[in-house]
Amino acid sequence: MWSTEKLKRKVEIILNEKTKDGYEVVSVAFGLNIWWIPTAYITLSK
C-alpha cells in the first residue's frame, strides 16, 4: 500500500530524473484516487 511519504519521495526522484533529461516541470498535484490511495499528477513540458 502506498503512503504519502513514499509517494513524495518517488515523485522527487521522478522529477529529478526528468529535469536531467531536459523536461520542465509545469505542475505537480497530489490527490486521492477512487480507492482513497494517494496519487500524484505530474505535468511536464519538453
Side-chain angles (χ1 to χ4, degrees), residues 30-46:
F30 293 91
L32 300 171
N33 67 14
I34 61 172
W35 296 286
W36 294 93
I37 298 172
T39 306
Y41 303 93
I42 302 169
T43 305
L44 301 171
S45 176
K46 185 87 174 186

Side-chain angles (χ1 to χ4, degrees), residues 17-32:
E17 289 174 357
K18 294 301 179 183
T19 54
K20 286 179 185 174
D21 290 340
Y23 287 91
E24 176 187 352
V25 178
V26 176
S27 68
V28 178
F30 293 91
L32 300 171

Side-chain angles (χ1 to χ4, degrees), residues 1-32:
M1 188 67 131
W2 281 99
S3 72
T4 54
E5 287 303 314
K6 286 181 186 177
L7 180 61
K8 288 189 318 188
R9 279 185 264 147
K10 180 72 174 176
V11 167
E12 185 176 4
I13 290 167
I14 291 170
L15 293 177
N16 288 333
E17 289 174 357
K18 294 301 179 183
T19 54
K20 286 179 185 174
D21 290 340
Y23 287 91
E24 176 187 352
V25 178
V26 176
S27 68
V28 178
F30 293 91
L32 300 171

